[in-house]
Amino acid sequence: MSQSVFLPNYTIGTDAYEKANGIVKEYGTKVVLIGGKTALSKAENKIKVALTQEIEVVASLWYGGNSTYGNIEQLHESVQKADVLFAVGGGRACDTVKVIGEKLAKPVFTFPTIGSNCSPVTAVCVIYNEEGVMDGLFFPSKPPVHTFIDTAIIAEAPDKYLWAQVLAMLYPKKSNLLF
């Protein structure tokens, strides 16, 4: 069986977030930022500064620390008033937001803060159980609408995240112990 997959458009550079307003406003005017604590501390202000008064950030939320169905359900109610979801951070944060976006039929835009994974641009999500062990995959009907890659933020990420994907493939049974 074959499957066609289309990757999202992306904007890349130190000024990538400055393009967000013009692209996002076609999809709605109320956004919720969801991401990791460190990721939000690095990117949230920069995202907010890039948005004009046309787009309102109605909430900024921690994704819960792992892409679990429990965390997805906890965030479900908090994003009801949003037109658009912004996933900020690494793979697990992006995967969490992509599942929420799919379940609520809301467009997702990603703002990766590390370069170790493909989550910001793909239509696949890794789901973990509450113990942190991979539980399975979730396949949204489409990838995020657009990805904004701030190369300055990616460059400042700890080196260990650049190797995360390689190490996980080399040592799949120990990948949860690496970080």
Side-chain angles (χ1 to χ4, degrees):
M1 175 171 56
S2 66
Q3 182 178 2
S4 295
V5 177
F6 301 92
L7 297 176
N9 294 316
Y10 63 91
T11 302
I12 187 168
T14 56
D15 61 346
Y17 293 179
E18 293 173 20
K19 307 294 183 193
N21 196 77
I23 295 168
V24 172
K25 70 180 180 182
E26 295 179 33
Y27 296 88
T29 60
K30 294 181 184 202
V31 303
V32 170
L33 280 64
I34 303 171
K37 291 178 182 178
T38 302
L40 288 169
S41 75
K42 302 286 184 190
E44 180 177 5
N45 190 54
K46 204 169 183 180
I47 293 168
K48 287 180 175 179
V49 167
L51 300 175
T52 66
Q53 292 180 355
E54 297 174 303
I55 298 178
E56 174 189 4
V57 175
V58 295
S60 181
L61 308 167
W62 179 51
Y63 80 105
N66 208 346
S67 55
T68 66
Y69 285 116
N71 287 334
I72 290 162
E73 289 303 317
Q74 283 186 321
L75 290 163
H76 190 269
E77 283 301 313
S78 301
V79 302
Q80 293 293 331
K81 293 180 181 175
D83 302 320
V84 176
L85 305 178
F86 283 9
V88 183
R92 294 179 191 217
C94 289
D95 285 351
T96 299
V97 179
K98 290 188 307 187
V99 174
I100 296 167
E102 180 74 13
K103 290 182 176 281
L104 296 175
K106 294 184 185 281
V108 173
F109 293 82
T110 57
F111 296 77
T113 57
I114 59 175
S116 66
N117 61 80
C118 63
S119 180
V121 296
T122 61
V124 63
C125 305
V126 180
I127 303 297
Y128 295 85
N129 65 23
E130 297 304 323
E131 289 76 41
V133 177
M134 184 178 161
D135 193 28
L137 300 173
F138 179 92
F139 294 93
S141 59
K142 58 187 173 282
V145 176
H146 196 97
T147 299
F148 298 93
I149 305 166
D150 183 315
T151 52
I153 290 176
I154 300 285
E156 292 173 2
D159 291 345
K160 70 179 183 179
Y161 293 114
L162 295 174
W163 289 100
Q165 192 70 20
V166 173
L167 293 173
M169 289 175 8
L170 292 173
Y171 305 101
K173 296 195 185 271
K174 297 182 181 184
S175 63
N176 286 337
L177 303 175
L178 295 174
F179 307 103

